[in-house]
Amino acid sequence: MPELPEVETIVRSLAPRLTGRHIVSAEILKQRIVRYSKHDVPGAVTGQRVREVTRHGKFILIGLERGFLTIHLGMTGQLRFDSPITPHTRAIFQLDGAALVYDDPRMFGSIEYSEATDRTDRLGPDALNSVLSPELLRRKAPIKAVLLNQSIFAGVGNIYADESLFRAGIHPRRRADRIAAPRASRLIQVVQEVLAEAVEHRGSSVSDYVDTEGRKGDFQLRHRVYGRKGLPCLVCGTPLRKIVVAQRGTHYCPVCQR
DNA sequence: ACTAATGTTGTAGG
DNA sequence: GCCTACAACATTAG
């Protein structure tokens, strides 16, 4: 559910409600969700005041007086305020004022505490808030794999990779380093446009994504290829295809994307 | 019953 | 280091 636009939507609603607040208590219901840090997360964060809430790629960074909480939503993670505990609730953060509940049926997400900044050191620059050089695309891998590689730039997932490649008219299997410089520049521009547009629409809700208030996004209504296999291309009418690239379902128009 | 699903990590091999 | 493929993580929906 969460790529950069969904995570950005969540961060924008978390920030005003968390910043300056204190974590009164914290509870990890499923230890698996704390998978990398060796810290006792509740022990480390309880009593601390939230300094800021930011984002790098798909990671949510909650800056505390000392250290950071880093949250990744995986495929099915949700952060909701004051929502009822469910069988899939994995963690609860009680703030002075509201409870932040983390649900994650598949448990692909993670919650980490670290003293220094952290875990995002393996990520490339943020896909939305950075100037991205087209040289980043000079790889032998298919362009779709490059867009999904978070160490090159961070935030694009399966939906926005497909939507960007369609808008740029590039075949997802095209070797990245064989895209001519002007088209590579154009693709970078399109990626950032698509992400920004999706943020304006509060993300895509294709299965279960909702923001911290339980609201769905709108951007799925504007998808041109993702989830539209067999439907006519909105530009040329050709039935859209679905193939596998970089081990992910990939939607594209065989006529518009070369 | 089987498959695929908005993601990441680790491993093995070329 | 780069690239590919696959398994693993765990659950649900079609």
Side-chain angles (χ1 to χ4, degrees):
Chain A
M1 47 176 315
E3 301 181 35
L4 185 152
E6 292 75 36
V7 176
E8 176 65 18
T9 301
I10 288 165
V11 163
R12 286 184 184 185
S13 59
L14 285 178
R17 295 195 65 176
L18 295 188
T19 307
R21 291 298 170 120
H22 286 82
I23 299 176
V24 174
S25 62
E27 197 180 346
I28 302 292
L29 285 79
K30 270 290 176 192
Q31 206 55 40
R32 173 172 291 282
I33 223 68
V34 183
R35 53 184 72 198
Y36 306 107
S37 67
K38 298 155 195 76
H39 290 91
D40 159 28
V41 172
V45 305
T46 297
Q48 289 216 56
R49 195 178 66 87
V50 176
R51 263 190 315 106
E52 60 177 6
V53 183
T54 58
R55 179 189 59 71
H56 186 164
K58 306 171 192 172
F59 288 81
I60 300 166
L61 309 173
I62 301 179
L64 306 173
E65 291 165 291
R66 260 182 324 98
F68 288 84
L69 262 179
T70 302
I71 300 177
H72 195 288
L73 301 172
M75 292 278 256
T76 55
Q78 293 185 348
L79 283 167
R80 305 272 301 270
F81 282 109
D82 298 319
S83 95
I85 309 309
T86 74
H88 297 133
T89 301
R90 310 306 186 192
I92 306 169
F93 297 91
Q94 184 64 51
L95 282 292
D96 43 348
L100 186 60
V101 177
Y102 180 72
D103 270 52
D104 187 356
R106 288 174 75 179
M107 292 197 279
F108 287 4
S110 60
I111 297 177
E112 312 295 332
Y113 174 79
S114 57
E115 303 267 296
T117 179
D118 66 303
R119 291 203 33 78
T120 60
D121 54 356
R122 69 185 73 203
L123 298 183
D126 185 77
L128 189 56
N129 299 329
S130 315
V131 177
L132 302 177
S133 162
E135 290 169 23
L136 293 170
L137 304 183
R138 274 197 215 139
R139 301 284 194 117
K140 290 178 182 165
I143 185 60
K144 166 126 181 194
V146 172
L147 295 182
L148 292 177
N149 184 337
Q150 305 295 300
S151 67
I152 300 175
F153 51 83
V156 175
N158 208 31
I159 293 175
Y160 299 104
D162 284 2
E163 292 299 315
S164 299
L165 289 170
F166 174 76
R167 292 197 191 191
I170 298 171
H171 194 288
R173 286 212 175 105
R174 187 69 178 274
R175 234 178 84 160
D177 60 1
R178 292 205 181 129
I179 299 170
R183 292 187 85 204
S185 299
R186 170 79 187 132
L187 174 58
I188 296 269
Q189 186 189 327
V190 165
V191 164
Q192 296 193 313
E193 277 171 14
V194 168
L195 293 174
E197 212 177 300
V199 169
E200 282 175 39
H201 288 272
R202 309 179 55 82
S204 301
S205 293
V206 311
S207 66
D208 55 358
Y209 164 72
V210 289
D211 69 12
T212 57
E213 316 297 329
R215 285 173 300 194
K216 293 185 173 192
D218 282 342
F219 196 71
Q220 68 281 4
L221 303 174
R222 297 180 125 75
H223 290 173
R224 300 183 191 171
V225 287
Y226 186 86
R228 301 193 66 247
K229 173 187 159 191
L231 294 174
C233 171
L234 297 170
V235 171
C236 73
T238 306
L240 298 175
R241 286 189 192 163
K242 187 176 177 192
I243 57 176
V244 174
V245 182
Q247 283 81 243
R248 308 298 300 276
T250 298
H251 314 72
Y252 76 108
C253 172
V255 172
C256 296
Q257 294 172 257
R258 292 280 153 187

PDB file of all heavy atoms in Angstrom, chain A residues 159-190:
ATOM      1  N   ILE A 159       3.462   0.853  -8.389  1.00  0.00           N
ATOM      2  CA  ILE A 159       2.437   1.663  -9.059  1.00  0.00           C
ATOM      3  C   ILE A 159       3.069   2.840  -9.795  1.00  0.00           C
ATOM      4  O   ILE A 159       2.821   3.049 -10.991  1.00  0.00           O
ATOM      5  CB  ILE A 159       1.423   2.236  -8.039  1.00  0.00           C
ATOM      6  CG1 ILE A 159       0.600   1.115  -7.416  1.00  0.00           C
ATOM      7  CG2 ILE A 159       0.513   3.270  -8.708  1.00  0.00           C
ATOM      8  CD1 ILE A 159      -0.335   1.591  -6.304  1.00  0.00           C
ATOM      9  N   TYR A 160       3.882   3.607  -9.084  1.00  0.00           N
ATOM     10  CA  TYR A 160       4.395   4.846  -9.671  1.00  0.00           C
ATOM     11  C   TYR A 160       5.481   4.589 -10.706  1.00  0.00           C
ATOM     12  O   TYR A 160       5.673   5.413 -11.604  1.00  0.00           O
ATOM     13  CB  TYR A 160       4.822   5.821  -8.563  1.00  0.00           C
ATOM     14  CG  TYR A 160       3.608   6.159  -7.710  1.00  0.00           C
ATOM     15  CD1 TYR A 160       3.434   5.601  -6.447  1.00  0.00           C
ATOM     16  CD2 TYR A 160       2.590   6.948  -8.228  1.00  0.00           C
ATOM     17  CE1 TYR A 160       2.283   5.856  -5.707  1.00  0.00           C
ATOM     18  CE2 TYR A 160       1.430   7.195  -7.498  1.00  0.00           C
ATOM     19  CZ  TYR A 160       1.284   6.647  -6.237  1.00  0.00           C
ATOM     20  OH  TYR A 160       0.139   6.883  -5.522  1.00  0.00           O
ATOM     21  N   ALA A 161       6.151   3.442 -10.614  1.00  0.00           N
ATOM     22  CA  ALA A 161       7.086   3.062 -11.679  1.00  0.00           C
ATOM     23  C   ALA A 161       6.310   2.851 -12.978  1.00  0.00           C
ATOM     24  O   ALA A 161       6.657   3.400 -14.028  1.00  0.00           O
ATOM     25  CB  ALA A 161       7.843   1.795 -11.289  1.00  0.00           C
ATOM     26  N   ASP A 162       5.227   2.073 -12.918  1.00  0.00           N
ATOM     27  CA  ASP A 162       4.434   1.794 -14.126  1.00  0.00           C
ATOM     28  C   ASP A 162       3.804   3.071 -14.680  1.00  0.00           C
ATOM     29  O   ASP A 162       3.815   3.315 -15.894  1.00  0.00           O
ATOM     30  CB  ASP A 162       3.326   0.777 -13.816  1.00  0.00           C
ATOM     31  CG  ASP A 162       3.860  -0.651 -13.685  1.00  0.00           C
ATOM     32  OD1 ASP A 162       5.086  -0.834 -13.803  1.00  0.00           O
ATOM     33  OD2 ASP A 162       3.053  -1.570 -13.473  1.00  0.00           O
ATOM     34  N   GLU A 163       3.239   3.883 -13.801  1.00  0.00           N
ATOM     35  CA  GLU A 163       2.586   5.118 -14.250  1.00  0.00           C
ATOM     36  C   GLU A 163       3.587   6.081 -14.885  1.00  0.00           C
ATOM     37  O   GLU A 163       3.288   6.741 -15.880  1.00  0.00           O
ATOM     38  CB  GLU A 163       1.870   5.786 -13.072  1.00  0.00           C
ATOM     39  CG  GLU A 163       0.664   4.999 -12.556  1.00  0.00           C
ATOM     40  CD  GLU A 163      -0.426   4.819 -13.614  1.00  0.00           C
ATOM     41  OE1 GLU A 163      -0.739   5.810 -14.302  1.00  0.00           O
ATOM     42  OE2 GLU A 163      -0.956   3.698 -13.756  1.00  0.00           O
ATOM     43  N   SER A 164       4.778   6.162 -14.320  1.00  0.00           N
ATOM     44  CA  SER A 164       5.801   7.068 -14.856  1.00  0.00           C
ATOM     45  C   SER A 164       6.295   6.605 -16.216  1.00  0.00           C
ATOM     46  O   SER A 164       6.456   7.411 -17.141  1.00  0.00           O
ATOM     47  CB  SER A 164       6.993   7.166 -13.887  1.00  0.00           C
ATOM     48  OG  SER A 164       6.575   7.672 -12.636  1.00  0.00           O
ATOM     49  N   LEU A 165       6.536   5.290 -16.350  1.00  0.00           N
ATOM     50  CA  LEU A 165       7.041   4.775 -17.624  1.00  0.00           C
ATOM     51  C   LEU A 165       6.001   4.949 -18.730  1.00  0.00           C
ATOM     52  O   LEU A 165       6.351   5.247 -19.872  1.00  0.00           O
ATOM     53  CB  LEU A 165       7.463   3.310 -17.482  1.00  0.00           C
ATOM     54  CG  LEU A 165       8.732   3.122 -16.648  1.00  0.00           C
ATOM     55  CD1 LEU A 165       8.973   1.655 -16.320  1.00  0.00           C
ATOM     56  CD2 LEU A 165       9.947   3.710 -17.381  1.00  0.00           C
ATOM     57  N   PHE A 166       4.739   4.795 -18.381  1.00  0.00           N
ATOM     58  CA  PHE A 166       3.702   5.032 -19.384  1.00  0.00           C
ATOM     59  C   PHE A 166       3.730   6.492 -19.842  1.00  0.00           C
ATOM     60  O   PHE A 166       3.743   6.786 -21.035  1.00  0.00           O
ATOM     61  CB  PHE A 166       2.310   4.682 -18.846  1.00  0.00           C
ATOM     62  CG  PHE A 166       1.212   5.058 -19.806  1.00  0.00           C
ATOM     63  CD1 PHE A 166       0.978   4.288 -20.937  1.00  0.00           C
ATOM     64  CD2 PHE A 166       0.450   6.202 -19.601  1.00  0.00           C
ATOM     65  CE1 PHE A 166      -0.015   4.642 -21.849  1.00  0.00           C
ATOM     66  CE2 PHE A 166      -0.542   6.566 -20.514  1.00  0.00           C
ATOM     67  CZ  PHE A 166      -0.775   5.792 -21.636  1.00  0.00           C
ATOM     68  N   ARG A 167       3.748   7.393 -18.900  1.00  0.00           N
ATOM     69  CA  ARG A 167       3.725   8.817 -19.268  1.00  0.00           C
ATOM     70  C   ARG A 167       4.957   9.234 -20.047  1.00  0.00           C
ATOM     71  O   ARG A 167       4.886  10.147 -20.868  1.00  0.00           O
ATOM     72  CB  ARG A 167       3.609   9.680 -18.017  1.00  0.00           C
ATOM     73  CG  ARG A 167       2.266   9.534 -17.316  1.00  0.00           C
ATOM     74  CD  ARG A 167       2.073  10.688 -16.376  1.00  0.00           C
ATOM     75  NE  ARG A 167       0.928  10.466 -15.479  1.00  0.00           N
ATOM     76  CZ  ARG A 167       0.420  11.417 -14.710  1.00  0.00           C
ATOM     77  NH1 ARG A 167       0.967  12.632 -14.726  1.00  0.00           N
ATOM     78  NH2 ARG A 167      -0.600  11.170 -13.932  1.00  0.00           N
ATOM     79  N   ALA A 168       6.077   8.553 -19.772  1.00  0.00           N
ATOM     80  CA  ALA A 168       7.308   8.897 -20.495  1.00  0.00           C
ATOM     81  C   ALA A 168       7.419   8.131 -21.806  1.00  0.00           C
ATOM     82  O   ALA A 168       8.341   8.356 -22.595  1.00  0.00           O
ATOM     83  CB  ALA A 168       8.526   8.623 -19.607  1.00  0.00           C
ATOM     84  N   GLY A 169       6.501   7.176 -22.047  1.00  0.00           N
ATOM     85  CA  GLY A 169       6.527   6.416 -23.297  1.00  0.00           C
ATOM     86  C   GLY A 169       7.698   5.470 -23.408  1.00  0.00           C
ATOM     87  O   GLY A 169       8.220   5.238 -24.501  1.00  0.00           O
ATOM     88  N   ILE A 170       8.116   4.910 -22.277  1.00  0.00           N
ATOM     89  CA  ILE A 170       9.281   4.017 -22.272  1.00  0.00           C
ATOM     90  C   ILE A 170       8.852   2.618 -21.852  1.00  0.00           C
ATOM     91  O   ILE A 170       8.129   2.446 -20.870  1.00  0.00           O
ATOM     92  CB  ILE A 170      10.365   4.546 -21.302  1.00  0.00           C
ATOM     93  CG1 ILE A 170      10.859   5.924 -21.778  1.00  0.00           C
ATOM     94  CG2 ILE A 170      11.519   3.560 -21.185  1.00  0.00           C
ATOM     95  CD1 ILE A 170      11.766   6.616 -20.793  1.00  0.00           C
ATOM     96  N   HIS A 171       9.321   1.619 -22.595  1.00  0.00           N
ATOM     97  CA  HIS A 171       9.014   0.222 -22.281  1.00  0.00           C
ATOM     98  C   HIS A 171       9.711  -0.171 -20.979  1.00  0.00           C
ATOM     99  O   HIS A 171      10.891   0.109 -20.808  1.00  0.00           O
ATOM    100  CB  HIS A 171       9.473  -0.678 -23.433  1.00  0.00           C
ATOM    101  CG  HIS A 171       8.901  -2.062 -23.364  1.00  0.00           C
ATOM    102  ND1 HIS A 171       9.315  -2.984 -22.415  1.00  0.00           N
ATOM    103  CD2 HIS A 171       7.945  -2.671 -24.107  1.00  0.00           C
ATOM    104  CE1 HIS A 171       8.630  -4.113 -22.597  1.00  0.00           C
ATOM    105  NE2 HIS A 171       7.796  -3.945 -23.608  1.00  0.00           N
ATOM    106  N   PRO A 172       8.983  -0.845 -20.068  1.00  0.00           N
ATOM    107  CA  PRO A 172       9.575  -1.178 -18.763  1.00  0.00           C
ATOM    108  C   PRO A 172      10.814  -2.061 -18.839  1.00  0.00           C
ATOM    109  O   PRO A 172      11.662  -2.018 -17.937  1.00  0.00           O
ATOM    110  CB  PRO A 172       8.441  -1.904 -18.019  1.00  0.00           C
ATOM    111  CG  PRO A 172       7.354  -2.136 -19.022  1.00  0.00           C
ATOM    112  CD  PRO A 172       7.556  -1.175 -20.125  1.00  0.00           C
ATOM    113  N   ARG A 173      10.960  -2.849 -19.930  1.00  0.00           N
ATOM    114  CA  ARG A 173      12.139  -3.717 -20.044  1.00  0.00           C
ATOM    115  C   ARG A 173      13.318  -3.016 -20.720  1.00  0.00           C
ATOM    116  O   ARG A 173      14.392  -3.600 -20.857  1.00  0.00           O
ATOM    117  CB  ARG A 173      11.795  -4.974 -20.856  1.00  0.00           C
ATOM    118  CG  ARG A 173      10.964  -5.973 -20.108  1.00  0.00           C
ATOM    119  CD  ARG A 173      11.302  -7.401 -20.573  1.00  0.00           C
ATOM    120  NE  ARG A 173      10.584  -8.369 -19.756  1.00  0.00           N
ATOM    121  CZ  ARG A 173       9.516  -9.050 -20.152  1.00  0.00           C
ATOM    122  NH1 ARG A 173       9.050  -8.883 -21.378  1.00  0.00           N
ATOM    123  NH2 ARG A 173       8.937  -9.898 -19.343  1.00  0.00           N
ATOM    124  N   ARG A 174      13.120  -1.824 -21.145  1.00  0.00           N
ATOM    125  CA  ARG A 174      14.201  -1.094 -21.821  1.00  0.00           C
ATOM    126  C   ARG A 174      15.427  -0.977 -20.918  1.00  0.00           C
ATOM    127  O   ARG A 174      15.307  -0.593 -19.759  1.00  0.00           O
ATOM    128  CB  ARG A 174      13.695   0.317 -22.162  1.00  0.00           C
ATOM    129  CG  ARG A 174      14.624   1.122 -23.008  1.00  0.00           C
ATOM    130  CD  ARG A 174      14.685   0.539 -24.405  1.00  0.00           C
ATOM    131  NE  ARG A 174      15.551   1.353 -25.209  1.00  0.00           N
ATOM    132  CZ  ARG A 174      15.146   2.448 -25.853  1.00  0.00           C
ATOM    133  NH1 ARG A 174      13.883   2.801 -25.794  1.00  0.00           N
ATOM    134  NH2 ARG A 174      15.995   3.165 -26.554  1.00  0.00           N
ATOM    135  N   ARG A 175      16.610  -1.347 -21.462  1.00  0.00           N
ATOM    136  CA  ARG A 175      17.827  -1.198 -20.667  1.00  0.00           C
ATOM    137  C   ARG A 175      18.028   0.274 -20.349  1.00  0.00           C
ATOM    138  O   ARG A 175      18.042   1.124 -21.260  1.00  0.00           O
ATOM    139  CB  ARG A 175      19.013  -1.733 -21.458  1.00  0.00           C
ATOM    140  CG  ARG A 175      19.818  -2.779 -20.714  1.00  0.00           C
ATOM    141  CD  ARG A 175      20.940  -3.290 -21.565  1.00  0.00           C
ATOM    142  NE  ARG A 175      22.101  -2.416 -21.478  1.00  0.00           N
ATOM    143  CZ  ARG A 175      23.340  -2.800 -21.795  1.00  0.00           C
ATOM    144  NH1 ARG A 175      23.572  -4.043 -22.194  1.00  0.00           N
ATOM    145  NH2 ARG A 175      24.346  -1.960 -21.715  1.00  0.00           N
ATOM    146  N   ALA A 176      18.211   0.575 -19.073  1.00  0.00           N
ATOM    147  CA  ALA A 176      18.223   1.974 -18.629  1.00  0.00           C
ATOM    148  C   ALA A 176      19.299   2.792 -19.328  1.00  0.00           C
ATOM    149  O   ALA A 176      19.059   3.926 -19.748  1.00  0.00           O
ATOM    150  CB  ALA A 176      18.399   2.047 -17.117  1.00  0.00           C
ATOM    151  N   ASP A 177      20.485   2.195 -19.506  1.00  0.00           N
ATOM    152  CA  ASP A 177      21.577   2.984 -20.083  1.00  0.00           C
ATOM    153  C   ASP A 177      21.447   3.143 -21.601  1.00  0.00           C
ATOM    154  O   ASP A 177      22.294   3.771 -22.234  1.00  0.00           O
ATOM    155  CB  ASP A 177      22.939   2.380 -19.708  1.00  0.00           C
ATOM    156  CG  ASP A 177      23.109   0.958 -20.214  1.00  0.00           C
ATOM    157  OD1 ASP A 177      22.183   0.427 -20.878  1.00  0.00           O
ATOM    158  OD2 ASP A 177      24.166   0.365 -19.946  1.00  0.00           O
ATOM    159  N   ARG A 178      20.381   2.585 -22.162  1.00  0.00           N
ATOM    160  CA  ARG A 178      20.150   2.796 -23.602  1.00  0.00           C
ATOM    161  C   ARG A 178      19.058   3.812 -23.864  1.00  0.00           C
ATOM    162  O   ARG A 178      18.611   3.987 -24.992  1.00  0.00           O
ATOM    163  CB  ARG A 178      19.810   1.471 -24.283  1.00  0.00           C
ATOM    164  CG  ARG A 178      21.013   0.534 -24.292  1.00  0.00           C
ATOM    165  CD  ARG A 178      20.925  -0.464 -25.431  1.00  0.00           C
ATOM    166  NE  ARG A 178      22.074  -1.355 -25.409  1.00  0.00           N
ATOM    167  CZ  ARG A 178      22.003  -2.681 -25.454  1.00  0.00           C
ATOM    168  NH1 ARG A 178      20.813  -3.260 -25.529  1.00  0.00           N
ATOM    169  NH2 ARG A 178      23.087  -3.403 -25.432  1.00  0.00           N
ATOM    170  N   ILE A 179      18.615   4.475 -22.827  1.00  0.00           N
ATOM    171  CA  ILE A 179      17.656   5.558 -23.002  1.00  0.00           C
ATOM    172  C   ILE A 179      18.472   6.822 -23.284  1.00  0.00           C
ATOM    173  O   ILE A 179      19.363   7.183 -22.507  1.00  0.00           O
ATOM    174  CB  ILE A 179      16.794   5.741 -21.730  1.00  0.00           C
ATOM    175  CG1 ILE A 179      15.996   4.464 -21.444  1.00  0.00           C
ATOM    176  CG2 ILE A 179      15.858   6.943 -21.881  1.00  0.00           C
ATOM    177  CD1 ILE A 179      15.305   4.450 -20.095  1.00  0.00           C
ATOM    178  N   ALA A 180      18.168   7.448 -24.394  1.00  0.00           N
ATOM    179  CA  ALA A 180      18.940   8.644 -24.770  1.00  0.00           C
ATOM    180  C   ALA A 180      18.793   9.728 -23.714  1.00  0.00           C
ATOM    181  O   ALA A 180      17.763   9.824 -23.032  1.00  0.00           O
ATOM    182  CB  ALA A 180      18.464   9.150 -26.125  1.00  0.00           C
ATOM    183  N   ALA A 181      19.826  10.551 -23.591  1.00  0.00           N
ATOM    184  CA  ALA A 181      19.886  11.560 -22.522  1.00  0.00           C
ATOM    185  C   ALA A 181      18.633  12.430 -22.407  1.00  0.00           C
ATOM    186  O   ALA A 181      18.127  12.618 -21.299  1.00  0.00           O
ATOM    187  CB  ALA A 181      21.136  12.425 -22.691  1.00  0.00           C
ATOM    188  N   PRO A 182      18.100  12.937 -23.520  1.00  0.00           N
ATOM    189  CA  PRO A 182      16.914  13.804 -23.367  1.00  0.00           C
ATOM    190  C   PRO A 182      15.712  13.043 -22.804  1.00  0.00           C
ATOM    191  O   PRO A 182      14.958  13.600 -22.007  1.00  0.00           O
ATOM    192  CB  PRO A 182      16.628  14.269 -24.806  1.00  0.00           C
ATOM    193  CG  PRO A 182      17.890  14.040 -25.567  1.00  0.00           C
ATOM    194  CD  PRO A 182      18.555  12.878 -24.923  1.00  0.00           C
ATOM    195  N   ARG A 183      15.578  11.788 -23.214  1.00  0.00           N
ATOM    196  CA  ARG A 183      14.449  11.003 -22.685  1.00  0.00           C
ATOM    197  C   ARG A 183      14.676  10.636 -21.230  1.00  0.00           C
ATOM    198  O   ARG A 183      13.725  10.548 -20.448  1.00  0.00           O
ATOM    199  CB  ARG A 183      14.244   9.731 -23.514  1.00  0.00           C
ATOM    200  CG  ARG A 183      13.756  10.008 -24.912  1.00  0.00           C
ATOM    201  CD  ARG A 183      13.408   8.714 -25.609  1.00  0.00           C
ATOM    202  NE  ARG A 183      12.055   8.294 -25.296  1.00  0.00           N
ATOM    203  CZ  ARG A 183      11.631   7.043 -25.367  1.00  0.00           C
ATOM    204  NH1 ARG A 183      12.461   6.079 -25.707  1.00  0.00           N
ATOM    205  NH2 ARG A 183      10.386   6.746 -25.101  1.00  0.00           N
ATOM    206  N   ALA A 184      15.921  10.395 -20.866  1.00  0.00           N
ATOM    207  CA  ALA A 184      16.233  10.093 -19.465  1.00  0.00           C
ATOM    208  C   ALA A 184      15.872  11.296 -18.586  1.00  0.00           C
ATOM    209  O   ALA A 184      15.279  11.152 -17.521  1.00  0.00           O
ATOM    210  CB  ALA A 184      17.707   9.728 -19.318  1.00  0.00           C
ATOM    211  N   SER A 185      16.224  12.487 -19.071  1.00  0.00           N
ATOM    212  CA  SER A 185      15.883  13.709 -18.331  1.00  0.00           C
ATOM    213  C   SER A 185      14.382  13.861 -18.217  1.00  0.00           C
ATOM    214  O   SER A 185      13.845  14.207 -17.157  1.00  0.00           O
ATOM    215  CB  SER A 185      16.445  14.948 -19.031  1.00  0.00           C
ATOM    216  OG  SER A 185      17.840  14.866 -19.100  1.00  0.00           O
ATOM    217  N   ARG A 186      13.726  13.576 -19.318  1.00  0.00           N
ATOM    218  CA  ARG A 186      12.278  13.677 -19.358  1.00  0.00           C
ATOM    219  C   ARG A 186      11.635  12.674 -18.371  1.00  0.00           C
ATOM    220  O   ARG A 186      10.685  13.002 -17.674  1.00  0.00           O
ATOM    221  CB  ARG A 186      11.804  13.409 -20.793  1.00  0.00           C
ATOM    222  CG  ARG A 186      10.325  13.247 -20.979  1.00  0.00           C
ATOM    223  CD  ARG A 186       9.598  14.576 -21.000  1.00  0.00           C
ATOM    224  NE  ARG A 186       8.153  14.352 -21.027  1.00  0.00           N
ATOM    225  CZ  ARG A 186       7.281  14.962 -20.238  1.00  0.00           C
ATOM    226  NH1 ARG A 186       7.704  15.850 -19.347  1.00  0.00           N
ATOM    227  NH2 ARG A 186       6.005  14.715 -20.320  1.00  0.00           N
ATOM    228  N   LEU A 187      12.198  11.470 -18.317  1.00  0.00           N
ATOM    229  CA  LEU A 187      11.662  10.461 -17.403  1.00  0.00           C
ATOM    230  C   LEU A 187      11.781  10.911 -15.945  1.00  0.00           C
ATOM    231  O   LEU A 187      10.846  10.772 -15.162  1.00  0.00           O
ATOM    232  CB  LEU A 187      12.382   9.124 -17.602  1.00  0.00           C
ATOM    233  CG  LEU A 187      12.009   8.008 -16.600  1.00  0.00           C
ATOM    234  CD1 LEU A 187      10.512   7.706 -16.621  1.00  0.00           C
ATOM    235  CD2 LEU A 187      12.813   6.739 -16.879  1.00  0.00           C
ATOM    236  N   ILE A 188      12.939  11.454 -15.602  1.00  0.00           N
ATOM    237  CA  ILE A 188      13.136  11.947 -14.228  1.00  0.00           C
ATOM    238  C   ILE A 188      12.080  13.008 -13.907  1.00  0.00           C
ATOM    239  O   ILE A 188      11.468  13.000 -12.831  1.00  0.00           O
ATOM    240  CB  ILE A 188      14.546  12.576 -14.091  1.00  0.00           C
ATOM    241  CG1 ILE A 188      15.620  11.510 -14.313  1.00  0.00           C
ATOM    242  CG2 ILE A 188      14.695  13.297 -12.760  1.00  0.00           C
ATOM    243  CD1 ILE A 188      16.083  10.790 -13.089  1.00  0.00           C
ATOM    244  N   GLN A 189      11.873  13.890 -14.867  1.00  0.00           N
ATOM    245  CA  GLN A 189      10.878  14.953 -14.681  1.00  0.00           C
ATOM    246  C   GLN A 189       9.482  14.354 -14.490  1.00  0.00           C
ATOM    247  O   GLN A 189       8.725  14.761 -13.602  1.00  0.00           O
ATOM    248  CB  GLN A 189      10.920  15.859 -15.912  1.00  0.00           C
ATOM    249  CG  GLN A 189      10.055  17.096 -15.835  1.00  0.00           C
ATOM    250  CD  GLN A 189       9.998  17.804 -17.206  1.00  0.00           C
ATOM    251  OE1 GLN A 189      10.973  17.781 -17.965  1.00  0.00           O
ATOM    252  NE2 GLN A 189       8.866  18.416 -17.511  1.00  0.00           N
ATOM    253  N   VAL A 190       9.154  13.355 -15.311  1.00  0.00           N
ATOM    254  CA  VAL A 190       7.837  12.706 -15.234  1.00  0.00           C
ATOM    255  C   VAL A 190       7.656  11.993 -13.890  1.00  0.00           C
ATOM    256  O   VAL A 190       6.592  12.070 -13.277  1.00  0.00           O
ATOM    257  CB  VAL A 190       7.657  11.717 -16.409  1.00  0.00           C
ATOM    258  CG1 VAL A 190       6.492  10.781 -16.162  1.00  0.00           C
ATOM    259  CG2 VAL A 190       7.465  12.477 -17.707  1.00  0.00           C
TER     260      VAL A 190
END
